[in-house]
Amino acid sequence: MQNLPKKVRSKKLSTRVDLTAMVSVSFLLIIFFMVVGELSKPKVMEFGRPDCIDEDYHRVCNMPDERRIMTLLLDDKNRIITYTGLLFVPIDGPKEIEYGKSGIRKELLERNKKVLEYSAALGKPGRGLTAVIKPSKKSNYGNLVDILDEMKIIGINSYAIVNDFTPEETKLLASK
């Protein structure tokens, strides 16, 4: 017999698919969507609310503790006018104070010390001064930064920057 060439058969490839890469990609996608889902949730900041009993809420809780409030009116020419309490019944009347260690810092330290003693006597220790900073349109940005630096130096954590003046405060700024 004759040597016939052997029939060449094609090599059968394995039909098995390696899914290792697919598993890795799917785990990465799962982790990605878990992180995105967690980061997209709205973050809520706790807002300090007064400790009130429900029966006294409208009578007591809506009233500010004016002994803890000090208002700082910032005006042009590096002027600061401060008063403690409410302007129509102030605890410490309006007075003009200078910037610096012997001026506003000294005043804030003394007032904060009084407020801390007052809060401790009420059984709520650690509740210090609340500063309301009101820069006028004539004040400059540097003055606001200086006041914020003083808040940080003294350790007053409760302050607000407000830009609306009452008519009485506007008259007070115009008169001094």
Side-chain angles (χ1 to χ4, degrees):
M1 291 203 113
Q2 227 177 351
N3 261 344
L4 291 174
K6 288 186 178 181
K7 209 176 201 185
V8 177
R9 293 196 172 198
S10 61
K11 186 178 179 185
K12 296 241 178 184
L13 297 175
S14 170
T15 56
R16 223 178 132 185
V17 178
D18 187 17
L19 295 177
T20 306
M22 186 65 76
V23 170
S24 297
V25 168
S26 62
F27 276 118
L28 286 173
L29 285 173
I30 289 170
I31 291 169
F32 172 76
F33 286 116
M34 286 173 56
V35 169
V36 168
E38 191 63 33
L39 292 177
S40 66
K41 289 180 183 174
K43 303 291 182 232
V44 178
M45 184 169 59
E46 287 297 319
F47 186 69
R49 296 183 321 206
D51 302 327
C52 295
I53 304 169
D54 290 338
E55 301 93 49
D56 287 348
Y57 184 77
H58 293 291
R59 185 170 53 89
V60 176
C61 290
N62 290 334
M63 297 296 293
D65 189 357
E66 63 270 358
R67 283 171 242 145
R68 291 184 56 228
I69 298 172
M70 183 175 194
T71 305
L72 307 165
L73 305 173
L74 308 181
D75 203 13
D76 62 342
K77 299 178 187 171
N78 296 333
R79 289 185 346 159
I80 306 172
I81 299 173
T82 67
Y83 64 91
T84 303
L86 304 174
L87 188 56
F88 52 90
V89 283
I91 293 168
D92 286 338
K95 57 184 165 184
E96 191 169 331
I97 298 177
E98 298 290 323
Y99 285 92
K101 285 182 181 180
S102 60
I104 190 64
R105 187 178 303 171
K106 181 180 175 187
E107 184 72 22
L108 287 170
L109 279 169
E110 289 173 3
R111 189 69 209 158
N112 195 33
K113 183 179 177 187
K114 288 179 187 176
V115 169
L116 286 169
E117 289 170 0
Y118 163 74
S119 295
L122 288 179
K124 298 178 181 178
R127 293 183 67 184
L129 180 69
T130 299
V132 179
I133 304 167
K134 294 187 174 187
S136 69
K137 293 186 185 208
K138 296 177 185 176
S139 69
N140 60 36
Y141 183 72
N143 291 344
L144 180 62
V145 171
D146 290 342
I147 286 295
L148 293 176
D149 286 343
E150 294 295 338
M151 296 294 147
K152 183 72 174 173
I153 290 168
I154 296 166
I156 297 174
N157 296 324
S158 178
Y159 59 87
I161 301 172
V162 183
N163 65 355
D164 58 334
F165 285 82
T166 63
E168 295 84 13
E169 289 170 338
T170 306
K171 288 178 189 174
L172 180 65
L173 285 175
S175 69
K176 294 245 176 186

